[in-house]
Amino acid sequence: MVDSLERPAPGPVRTSPFAVLRNAWRGLTSMRTALVLLFLLAVAALPGALLPQRSLNLNLVDQYFTDHPDLAPLMDRIGLFDVFAAPWFAAIYLMLMVSLIGCVLPRSVEHLRALRTPPVATPRNLGRLPHHATGPVDGTPDEVADRVRALLRGWRSAERTEERAGAGVREFSAEKGYLREAGNVLFHLAMVGLLVGFAAGKLYGYEGSVIIPVGNQFCNSGILGYDSFRAGLRVDGTELEPFCLRIDQFEASYRADGQAADYRAEIGYQTTSDLDEGSTAEWRPATLAVNAPLRVDGLRVYLMDHGYAPRFTVTFPDGQQRTGEIQWRVVDPSTLLSEGATKFERPGITDEEQRRTSQLAITGLFAPTSSGGDVVTSVFPALRDPEVAVDVLRGDLGLDDGRGQSIFQVDQRQIESGALQRVARANLVPGQEITLDDGTVIRFDGVNQWVGVQVSHDPGQDWVLVFAIAVLIGITLSLTIRRRRFWVRLQAADTEGRTVVELGGLARTDRAGYGEEFDRLRAELLGPEKKDG
Amino acid sequence: MLAQYSDWFYIAAVAVYVLAMVLHAYAQAAVRTRRPVLVGAGGTPADIPAAEEQPARAVGARAANMGVSVAVLGALLHLASIVARGLATERWPLGNMYEFISMITFAAVVTWLVMLRRVPAARSAAPWVLLPIVVLMTLGGTALYTAAGPVMPALRSYWLPVHVTAIAISSGLLIVSGVASILFLLRSGSGVPAAIAERMPTADVLDRVAYRVMIVAFPLYTFAVVAGAVWAEAAWGRFWGWDPKETVAFVAWVIYAAYLHARATAGWRTGRAAWINIAGLTTMIFNLFFINLVVAGLHSYAGVG
């Protein structure tokens, strides 16, 4: 289109690559494109709220696959279950950012230039402006000019004297509200900064969660220490900030109806420098609570959840004892009814075959406050009346087949194949025991508590906060400040010692009222009684 | 005891708002629309109807003034209900959906009353602005009602008054702005009977109300989202995690940003901008009801079970 005038010849119109680029750039940075991209961004984000997302809840995504076996794989292929990591989502916001930069940079340059040029000269006919007034006032033009100068303090103003009809005419032009555009530019640049900070967090941050029984300690030494770990794109897990913590005590309090009132964990920790100095005997005390994480060395440690770990002691026929205490997972958050599997290997057995027939697993349910009766269920989340309902399984747990195994369950296939068999079933309160057919005694010793801890590292988040505050300041300035112009023309009146004053005002932005301020300025100069001047 | 008073104040506020609506509606019915004078070009058209319209207009003006005063009374009762709720539960009264809706509608009423002082010409929009407020309050007081009680530990933070109050107030403002945009489209379109449309404020006034409320609402809403992110960083271990509520709040923010851009784009300034504002309001309402009640997420504090 650009060159069409010079190329009247028929045939395909050839445009230079430069023109194509320039047009594409102009198109991308236009306000209309920004609008379209904003709409696209809004529409593209919606499936992230309406469809289950892997980043939030893997189980719900699996459920969706089960419910919609035909549709789900197709949806998955276009990333509908990972919307915020999808390339098309990134494409939209990156284009929006480019459009924003392309629009805002020239505007900032223009604004800087406007800051250095004096306000525009007084229009010839002030009566044509939306706000205007005129009238004679007492005082020579010089005296009135002083009053105008005082009035225009705080405005960017310029003063000119013009010879017209043989007399000196003084003109003042003033402009105010430059902060509006400054706020606008600040808002947009801060949005870019915010996105960069956000991206930095996604690249260099990580988040790991781990269950730690009370009395145990945990060190941030590698991914393997965690139960689950979400690494940033540039994090390989080899250089985590060294840090250790120990759970000393955990307390939860509940209201009478079982709703949680408060949780807190008393912990000790050792910082990177503590570990470097080798002072590993000392633990710094701290409290983890809801809404109150521990912040140290760029890491944040959160108390996420909690539960119980029943402790069992197995006394084998030969008199050897083994004690097992491992976390069971919560199945009902309101009563903390939990399930799990505590697994044992018989000590001192070297024969592979024999070893595989003598492994033990204690599986079942744990109730912190048992309902009593044959079917154990929990009626309250606190540890008032603990009881377990367990099956004891003996045989081959399948630990050697190379596949990972849940710590909360036994491998169901081992039961189906008959390799693992139930040898006892019982309800036990602390101190009670059962004896198996081969003389092995299993005792339910008591219960420990565990806490789920999340360790997070996000090097970008402080920057995100800084830019978010800049965004707020920018948007507030750019929406509330009005850019307006004000002109004054002074001319000596026919009577000696009087001056004819002409005023004009123009709001450069929206119609959100400049009238009141103009009226005030007019009243200052012309006096209130000359309202219709 | 106090909780009971809070409920009574709430019901009284709804009743009083309905009364204000009726008064405003009556005021408008009393004002006859200007009859188009097509023939008799000789005389000034105002001559003939002026005499008989005079008393009706006076009655109408009085009813409209009463409507405003009654709405102020309603707002005072509404405020009393919120304060009594806070005293009864000994916490900031924004712990469930009923209390949230109460705060949103209170903010909307106060916004409307403040707007009336700034743009008196908008007064004839009153019944239409009060209508969604009364509907929301009725829903809040019935289907979504939650008895006064304490909240879960996660909600016990000083960020609750900051974040949730800012969201509630900005939502109230956005409702008023959105309703003004709806009325703007009705007023400037042809789908509405002239008898109703002509009794509304002019399209220009409605457009101005929508924009002037928005320039307060948008920065406040932005602040509310930022405050929410700061709280989420302390409570949930990350400042932003695309929780459904966060996502839809982001969508609404983007739509309102588009509205402000449209205000600065030739050809989009009025009509299309109004549609965008309505899309924003729809998103906010969707976020309030659908996301709270249907979609499971971290923000599931509705207290409706």
Side-chain angles (χ1 to χ4, degrees):
Chain A
M1 203 179 132
V2 172
D3 295 334
S4 58
L5 275 179
E6 295 163 26
R7 290 176 212 276
V13 178
R14 282 175 48 215
T15 42
S16 74
F18 175 72
V20 170
L21 271 178
R22 188 183 52 196
N23 286 348
W25 179 251
R26 276 187 193 156
L28 189 60
T29 58
S30 77
M31 193 68 113
R32 216 165 297 241
T33 310
L35 264 177
V36 171
L37 287 171
L38 281 170
F39 281 128
L40 275 178
L41 187 64
V43 172
L46 268 184
L50 300 180
L51 293 171
Q53 297 293 300
R54 286 213 173 81
S55 59
L56 295 177
N57 194 332
L58 216 54
N59 296 336
L60 284 179
V61 177
D62 292 342
Q63 185 61 42
Y64 199 89
F65 269 82
T66 317
D67 294 346
H68 307 88
D70 302 327
L71 210 55
L74 287 175
M75 290 162 73
D76 195 24
R77 199 169 300 167
I78 55 171
L80 285 177
F81 301 113
D82 299 284
V83 167
F84 304 106
W88 43 266
F89 189 76
I92 296 170
Y93 69 73
L94 288 178
M95 267 174 28
L96 192 62
M97 284 298 137
V98 172
S99 159
L100 185 161
I101 293 166
C103 176
V104 164
L105 285 186
R107 276 183 81 152
S108 347
V109 173
E110 206 175 296
H111 183 59
L112 288 176
R113 199 172 294 149
L115 281 175
R116 275 177 299 153
T117 42
V120 292
T122 310
R124 190 158 294 270
N125 188 352
L126 288 174
R128 284 209 187 133
L129 292 170
H131 305 280
H132 58 90
T134 177
V137 297
D138 291 331
T140 64
D142 281 341
E143 287 162 4
V144 179
D146 285 341
R147 269 154 56 199
V148 173
R149 278 184 213 111
L151 192 66
L152 291 180
R153 205 161 288 149
W155 291 66
R156 272 182 69 82
S157 59
E159 204 179 321
R160 293 177 194 82
T161 309
E162 218 179 283
E163 285 301 320
R164 197 186 292 170
V169 177
R170 285 162 193 271
E171 288 179 345
F172 293 82
S173 46
E175 187 160 348
K176 208 177 182 181
Y178 288 84
L179 269 179
R180 181 190 181 90
E181 182 65 6
N184 186 23
V185 169
L186 174 67
F187 169 81
H188 285 94
L189 293 180
M191 282 306 296
V192 178
L194 197 149
L195 187 76
V196 171
F198 194 86
K202 295 286 166 228
L203 287 175
Y204 298 102
Y206 59 84
E207 200 177 276
S209 50
V210 59
I211 284 176
I212 311 171
V214 173
N216 289 31
Q217 42 179 283
F218 168 80
C219 285
N220 187 36
S221 49
I223 293 181
L224 287 178
Y226 287 99
D227 299 332
S228 73
F229 191 83
R230 195 183 299 169
L233 297 172
R234 291 301 181 89
V235 175
D236 58 8
T238 55
E239 288 178 353
L240 306 185
E241 287 70 10
F243 166 81
C244 287
L245 69 105
R246 183 182 70 191
I247 310 295
D248 295 326
Q249 206 188 342
F250 174 77
E251 261 175 63
S253 54
Y254 303 93
R255 290 180 8 223
D257 63 357
Q259 198 186 321
D262 195 23
Y263 326 100
R264 56 186 59 244
E266 302 300 332
I267 64 163
Y269 67 94
Q270 292 171 337
T271 63
T272 307
S273 54
D274 290 346
L275 294 169
D276 286 347
E277 289 163 16
S279 54
T280 47
E282 301 259 330
W283 292 85
R284 298 164 188 266
T287 303
L288 291 186
V290 183
N291 283 316
L294 168 70
R295 294 167 198 277
V296 58
D297 288 345
L299 292 174
R300 287 125 51 211
V301 182
Y302 297 88
L303 176 63
M304 300 306 274
D305 51 2
H306 66 106
Y308 295 105
R311 185 166 61 251
F312 298 95
T313 297
V314 180
T315 310
F316 292 96
D318 56 4
Q320 295 210 69
Q321 278 193 341
R322 284 292 178 270
T323 297
E325 177 195 295
I326 193 157
Q327 64 266 27
W328 284 22
R329 71 177 166 206
V330 174
V331 281
D332 181 355
S334 62
T335 63
L336 290 185
L337 182 71
S338 310
E339 65 173 13
T342 308
K343 299 168 188 177
F344 294 89
E345 283 208 48
R346 189 163 176 170
I349 290 187
T350 45
D351 178 51
E352 271 301 306
E353 201 52 43
Q354 210 185 339
R355 199 171 73 86
R356 275 203 217 121
T357 54
S358 63
Q359 292 172 330
L360 283 178
I362 303 165
T363 72
L365 292 173
F366 168 79
T369 300
S370 170
S371 57
D374 289 341
V375 181
V376 168
T377 178
S378 179
V379 292
F380 198 77
L383 207 54
R384 286 181 178 169
D385 235 337
E387 185 171 17
V388 285
V390 291
D391 283 348
V392 180
L393 306 172
R394 190 170 58 205
D396 182 5
L397 289 170
L399 296 170
D400 304 328
D401 63 3
R403 277 181 292 125
Q405 221 181 67
S406 164
I407 61 164
F408 302 112
Q409 283 170 327
V410 291
D411 191 340
Q412 207 57 34
R413 273 168 300 198
Q414 299 299 102
I415 296 177
E416 280 158 16
S417 72
L420 198 55
Q421 276 173 340
R422 194 175 86 196
V423 289
R425 165 171 281 184
N427 295 351
L428 303 171
V429 298
Q432 282 187 332
E433 50 188 41
I434 35 172
T435 309
L436 304 184
D437 52 4
D438 64 353
T440 304
V441 178
I442 293 173
R443 203 173 96 101
F444 175 33
D445 298 330
V447 190
N448 194 6
Q449 300 203 67
W450 56 260
V451 293
V453 163
Q454 179 185 306
V455 177
S456 305
H457 174 64
D458 184 344
Q461 76 167 21
D462 290 349
W463 289 109
V464 170
L465 181 61
V466 167
F467 285 118
I469 291 168
V471 159
L472 266 173
I473 294 171
I475 192 67
T476 308
L477 290 177
S478 96
L479 285 181
T480 52
I481 287 180
R482 289 188 290 270
R483 185 87 173 260
R484 63 269 191 205
R485 287 174 173 168
F486 186 66
W487 292 279
V488 184
R489 178 177 289 134
L490 305 177
Q491 209 165 352
D494 297 338
T495 14
E496 192 65 28
R498 297 272 283 174
T499 305
V500 177
V501 179
E502 273 183 276
L503 306 177
L506 176 69
R508 285 191 62 199
T509 41
D510 47 71
R511 40 243 188 99
Y514 169 39
E516 286 160 27
E517 186 184 14
F518 183 82
D519 285 344
R520 213 174 50 242
L521 292 167
R522 171 171 63 183
E524 286 275 336
L525 281 173
L526 300 181
E529 72 279 5
K530 304 242 162 52
K531 253 203 147 180
D532 294 328
Chain B
M1 186 58 189
L2 268 170
Q4 185 60 57
Y5 278 117
S6 168
D7 292 353
W8 284 337
F9 283 137
Y10 185 88
I11 295 165
V14 178
V16 168
Y17 289 150
V18 171
L19 179 64
M21 247 170 78
V22 170
L23 283 167
H24 278 292
Y26 173 76
Q28 293 184 25
V31 177
R32 270 200 255 155
T33 50
R34 195 157 30 86
R35 255 176 278 158
V37 180
L38 298 173
V39 286
T44 46
D47 282 353
I48 310 121
E52 57 188 66
E53 245 180 50
Q54 214 55 38
R57 190 159 282 177
V59 170
R62 220 177 303 139
N65 284 336
M66 271 171 71
V68 175
S69 310
V70 167
V72 171
L73 173 69
L76 290 175
L77 286 165
H78 200 158
L79 178 65
S81 157
I82 293 172
V83 171
R85 183 83 171 186
L87 293 174
T89 52
E90 293 177 332
R91 58 170 170 78
W92 194 255
L94 276 173
N96 53 53
M97 217 167 146
Y98 159 70
E99 293 166 10
F100 188 54
I101 286 180
S102 182
M103 187 67 95
I104 292 176
T105 46
F106 176 68
V109 171
V110 172
T111 306
W112 172 247
L113 293 173
V114 171
M115 209 60 223
L116 275 189
R117 290 191 68 88
R118 299 281 173 83
V119 188
R123 191 167 73 178
S124 51
W128 307 103
V129 175
L130 287 171
L131 181 67
I133 290 170
V134 167
V135 169
L136 265 180
M137 286 186 79
T138 309
L139 267 177
T142 53
L144 303 170
Y145 180 76
T146 313
V151 291
M152 53 164 62
L155 287 182
R156 255 170 270 143
S157 161
Y158 52 85
W159 284 105
L160 176 92
V162 179
H163 165 62
V164 190
T165 311
I167 286 279
I169 294 175
S170 53
S171 300
L173 286 157
L174 291 169
I175 286 176
V176 174
S177 178
V179 169
S181 275
I182 293 172
L183 296 180
F184 167 83
L185 288 175
L186 294 178
R187 183 70 163 89
S188 49
S190 53
V192 184
I196 293 177
E198 283 176 16
R199 288 184 165 93
M200 288 182 190
T202 62
D204 188 54
V205 166
L206 290 166
D207 188 53
R208 205 160 66 222
V209 169
Y211 183 69
R212 288 186 70 163
V213 174
M214 181 63 75
I215 62 176
V216 181
F218 188 73
L220 186 61
Y221 181 57
T222 310
F223 167 76
V225 173
V226 171
V230 173
W231 187 10
E233 193 269 343
W236 296 333
R238 81 290 181 293
F239 65 88
W240 192 269
W242 299 109
D243 178 63
K245 191 92 183 177
E246 293 171 358
T247 303
V248 179
F250 167 78
V251 170
W253 189 87
V254 169
I255 293 175
Y256 284 122
Y259 170 82
L260 291 172
H261 280 84
R263 301 289 309 196
T265 308
W268 288 73
R269 235 171 281 269
T270 50
R272 286 177 184 171
W275 278 111
I276 300 173
N277 195 5
I278 292 166
L281 181 64
T282 313
T283 313
M284 292 298 283
I285 290 170
F286 176 78
N287 208 0
L288 175 60
F289 288 103
F290 191 79
I291 299 292
N292 269 18
L293 300 175
V294 182
V295 180
L298 289 168
H299 277 90
S300 300
Y301 300 127
V304 181

